[in-house]
Amino acid sequence: MKAVHRELILFDVDAENAEDAIRQIGAPLLEHGYVRDTFIDAVIQREKEYPTGLQLRTMGVAMPHTFGVHVIAPAVCVAKLAHPVEFRHMGEGDVRVSAEILFMMAISDPKKQLETLSNMMGVFVNDEAMIEFANARGTQELFEAARRYIG
Amino acid sequence: MKTVKILCVCGSGTVSSSMVAQKIKDALAQYGYDVHCVECSPNSAETALAAGGFSLMACVSPVYQDFDVPKVNAVGMLTGLAEQQVVDDCLAILNAE
């Protein structure tokens, strides 16, 4: 089951802060019917309580997500930001992460989408893959990297 | 293989805990542990633990309350910065049982 879709690949997103980034990146998920209209607010709320920033070996990223009840069809939205935005680190709320790439996860049932989650985790620890994401020069290259590594 | 139960805790009790659960299962299998993971959110940790038999809690969200079950910070599994550290922390607890 493919989680990456061309219309969910965003390049050069100019966001003021984490909330703004989540709103901009959530918009195509909503527009194309992957999530319910409660999704974006739910992600913002959840990010405040349980942040999803991750400082990887290669760069800072974030994987904003929320409960499956807000999701219609599972998908991963990949967004490269025009400039890094500060997220709080997962599990350690007082640590800040300068996130350069966001992977917004619309997961309806983790048990059924385990392959996507497992691929996603593989990407985070794969320096080569992350550098390919970071070096993508446009939507097409970002899409190709996402399709190859996330599926 | 020794069967052990681990509680995986994340914000929504689903996405990141599923990611960590899978990786912990695979990693600990190499050390002879057949890991059964139960996933939950921090708010439902107490209820989940009530089922009993858990060796440890692997957390990707802070769990501020203390329970009888030891906690391991499992965020390193997701970032790849401390995968072995997380495995070692789990093993230290499991091997002491």
Side-chain angles (χ1 to χ4, degrees):
Chain A
M1 171 122 185
K2 298 251 182 287
V4 171
H5 305 274
R6 197 176 292 267
E7 67 270 25
L8 302 179
I9 304 295
L10 306 177
F11 189 77
D12 236 4
V13 175
D14 188 3
E16 275 176 42
N17 51 41
E19 179 170 336
D20 183 30
I22 290 171
R23 285 200 189 282
Q24 290 193 45
I25 292 158
L29 278 167
L30 181 61
E31 187 189 332
H32 295 281
Y34 292 97
V35 298
R36 300 185 200 288
D37 58 5
T38 51
F39 179 82
I40 293 174
D41 284 337
V43 172
I44 289 168
Q45 187 53 40
R46 192 192 176 284
E47 191 65 38
K48 284 180 187 156
E49 285 175 53
Y50 303 111
T52 67
L54 291 170
Q55 182 59 56
L56 309 179
R57 275 190 298 266
T58 43
M59 72 195 72
V61 299
M63 45 167 286
H65 59 274
T66 185
F67 296 95
V69 60
H70 304 286
V71 174
I72 297 167
V76 178
C77 184
V78 180
K80 201 173 161 192
L81 303 180
H83 48 84
V85 162
E86 191 172 88
F87 274 74
R88 288 188 300 133
H89 202 286
M90 189 185 290
E92 291 151 89
D94 46 351
V95 176
R96 310 279 156 164
V97 179
S98 238
E100 298 176 38
I101 302 178
L102 303 187
F103 299 88
M104 188 180 269
M105 323 271 296
I107 298 293
S108 55
D109 181 353
K111 295 277 178 295
K112 292 190 188 132
Q113 286 125 44
L114 209 51
E115 190 189 337
T116 301
L117 296 181
S118 162
N119 290 348
M120 203 59 258
M121 204 148 89
V123 169
F124 292 155
V125 300
N126 180 344
D127 297 353
E128 207 176 294
M130 286 312 301
I131 287 164
E132 210 173 310
F133 279 104
N135 289 344
R137 285 166 299 181
T139 314
Q140 181 60 25
E141 285 185 13
L142 196 57
F143 170 70
E144 284 166 14
R147 178 46 66 78
R148 186 167 338 123
Y149 293 107
I150 306 169
Chain B
M1 293 285 266
K2 191 184 169 200
T3 304
V4 292
K5 256 169 88 180
I6 291 180
L7 185 67
C8 291
V9 188
C10 83
S12 55
T14 50
V15 176
S16 24
S17 55
S18 300
M19 292 163 94
V20 165
Q22 188 59 35
K23 213 157 177 178
I24 285 183
K25 258 181 164 91
D26 294 346
L28 291 178
Q30 295 172 25
Y31 295 90
Y33 287 101
D34 176 19
V35 177
H36 173 60
C37 282
V38 175
E39 290 139 37
C40 76
S41 66
N43 296 334
S44 60
E46 191 165 10
T47 315
L49 287 170
F54 289 98
S55 298
L56 63 93
M57 305 164 71
C59 309
V60 287
S61 297
V63 176
Y64 298 109
Q65 205 177 334
D66 275 322
F67 300 97
D68 289 340
V69 176
K71 287 178 241 181
V72 169
N73 181 344
V75 178
M77 276 284 178
L78 289 178
T79 60
L81 288 171
E83 285 179 50
Q84 194 55 44
Q85 185 61 50
V86 176
V87 173
D88 290 347
D89 289 351
C90 291
L91 286 172
I93 294 165
L94 296 176
N95 292 340
E97 280 194 334

